[in-house]
């Protein structure tokens, strides 16, 4: 996901630079020194921001794993909110680097600098939503709900047929019976627990 957002940022930098050349956009009138200063500070702070966000996410997942279940790792990293948030952070960082490389001695692409600053500000605001989403999904109730949903999907795949109960609980009719098992393993001896990984 992060690589896709990086590629999108490179494409967006070229498209914004072309649009800036076509329109001559100059609302803020950045000077070359000012634009370099803003973008250099933004790039370094965004890199620190990305590292901090991912490190905090890994730390929170490790703590939750020790308290709840190791399965939570795949659950958290498969969340769309986590993927989108980290992707936007990487997009802002890559876009800022691309904008920094387009500043010339006499010409500053004003639109490129503006979009870069805007994407950095959006990333900062998005970070608070990201923290709220991760903390809400790490709560035991959310984890149990997710495990129930995954378990229900497995049960529906293994037993696709529905059971229709008649008037008496002792009699039942099975509709759409599941197919016969492809293999039966018989166990001879004392009862045991089998853990399948």
């Amino acid at each position: 996901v992060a690589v896709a957002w990086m590629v999108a940022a490179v494409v967006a930098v070229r498209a914004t630079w072309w649009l800036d050349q076509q329109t001559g956009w100059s609302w803020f009138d950045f000077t070359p020194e000012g634009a370099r200063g803003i973008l250099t500070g933004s790039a370094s702070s965004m890199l620190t921001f990305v590292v901090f966000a991912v490190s905090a996410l890994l730390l929170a997942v490790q703590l939750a794993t020790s308290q709840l279940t190791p399965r939570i790792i795949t659950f958290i990293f498969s969340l769309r909110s986590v993927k989108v948030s980290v992707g936007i952070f990487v997009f802002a960082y890559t876009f800022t680097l691309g904008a920094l490389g387009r500043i010339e001695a006499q010409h500053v692409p004003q639109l490129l600098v503006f979009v870069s600053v805007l994407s950095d500000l959006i990333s900062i605001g998005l970070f608070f939503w990201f923290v709220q989403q991760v903390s809400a999904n790490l709560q035991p109730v959310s984890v149990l709900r997710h495990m129930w949903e995954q378990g229900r999907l497995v049960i529906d795949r293994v037993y696709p047929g529905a059971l229709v109960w008649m008037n008496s609980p002792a009699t039942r009719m099975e509709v759409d019976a599941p197919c016969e098992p492809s293999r039966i393993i018989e166990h001879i001896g004392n009862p045991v627990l089998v853990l399948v990984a």
Side-chain angles (χ1 to χ4, degrees):
V1 174
V3 171
W5 281 93
M6 288 176 71
V7 172
V10 171
V11 173
V13 165
R14 293 186 66 84
T16 309
W17 183 57
W18 177 84
L19 186 62
D20 181 82
Q21 288 182 328
Q22 297 299 316
T23 59
W25 201 83
S26 59
W27 274 12
F28 294 102
D29 199 22
F30 292 108
T31 62
E33 294 79 16
R36 280 195 194 92
I38 289 173
L39 294 180
T40 302
S42 295
S44 60
S45 62
M46 282 307 300
L47 179 60
T48 305
F49 193 68
V50 169
V51 171
F52 173 75
V54 174
S55 301
L57 178 64
L58 290 174
L59 182 62
V61 168
Q62 286 179 352
L63 291 174
T65 298
S66 64
Q67 295 295 320
L68 299 171
T69 172
R71 292 183 182 93
I72 199 170
I73 296 174
T74 56
F75 165 56
I76 291 298
F77 283 105
S78 65
L79 289 174
R80 183 174 296 149
S81 59
V82 171
K83 291 179 181 179
V84 169
S85 299
V86 173
I88 291 176
F89 298 156
V90 172
F91 176 90
Y93 172 67
T94 308
F95 192 95
T96 303
L97 284 181
L100 185 60
R102 298 281 193 290
I103 295 177
E104 302 169 0
Q106 300 298 325
H107 175 68
V108 176
Q110 303 289 326
L111 183 60
L112 203 59
V113 176
F114 170 72
V115 173
S116 176
V117 171
L118 184 64
S119 65
D120 293 343
L121 293 176
I122 289 172
S123 297
I124 293 171
L126 185 67
F127 176 72
F128 296 105
W129 177 78
F130 169 74
V131 169
Q132 189 271 336
Q133 290 293 310
V134 171
S135 62
N137 283 300
L138 286 177
Q139 293 176 353
V141 174
S142 300
V143 174
L144 289 174
R145 187 186 316 112
H146 171 73
M147 307 249 337
W148 176 84
E149 290 170 355
Q150 294 300 312
R152 180 68 189 200
L153 290 174
V154 171
I155 291 171
D156 289 341
R157 277 198 304 267
V158 173
Y159 302 103
L163 293 176
V164 179
W165 294 87
M166 303 300 284
N167 293 335
S168 170
T171 61
R172 64 183 180 182
M173 179 180 67
E174 188 171 359
V175 179
D176 296 328
C179 59
E180 292 296 321
S182 60
R183 186 170 155 196
I184 298 175
I185 301 174
E186 293 186 18
H187 173 72
I188 302 172
N190 294 329
V192 294
L193 288 176
V194 179
L195 178 63
V196 178

